[in-house]
Amino acid sequence: MSVLSTTTTLFVDDQQRALEFYTTHFDYVVHQHVPMGDVAWITLVMPGVGPGFTLSLEPSDHEHVRALRASLVEEGIPFFSIGVADATAEVERLRGEGVTIVQEATELGPVVVAVIDDGVGNLVQVASMTEQSAG
């Protein structure tokens, strides 16, 4: 079997704010935006990557979804991870753009990780390989 695509569902408090956050701070682009009454089917992709990896922005109004997300945030656990070339530089760039940094960039063996707040109910890990493991 060969997997051709992956969709990650990200539950968000406000789809429009989430759309603005991920397209502004991480250069995701809209793949699909289909109005469905008070909500929409919104999927994002990274330029050059195409729809092989899709981020789906879903409303978080179900009680179990709200409970799960609240527990993750309370424990400081990121919902998903975004790989970047340099997590330390990325944290500084995001800080300059007003993004809340929850955990500063920290080297953990072969990776550098940081945690940010996306402003729509999720913690997100920003991660890169260290120079020693990348080379």
Side-chain angles (χ1 to χ4, degrees), residues 83-114:
V84 297
D86 182 341
T88 302
E90 196 68 20
V91 164
E92 291 311 312
R93 181 187 69 79
L94 292 167
R95 185 188 326 277
E97 294 177 358
V99 174
T100 300
I101 309 303
V102 175
Q103 175 192 312
E104 294 294 332
T106 304
E107 188 172 325
L108 300 173
V111 297
V112 176
V113 298

Side-chain angles (χ1 to χ4, degrees), residues 27-45:
D27 296 332
Y28 279 93
V29 295
V30 175
H31 180 246
Q32 296 173 307
H33 189 279
V34 180
M36 301 171 66
D38 293 339
V39 297
W41 172 255
I42 302 172
T43 60
L44 308 175
V45 296

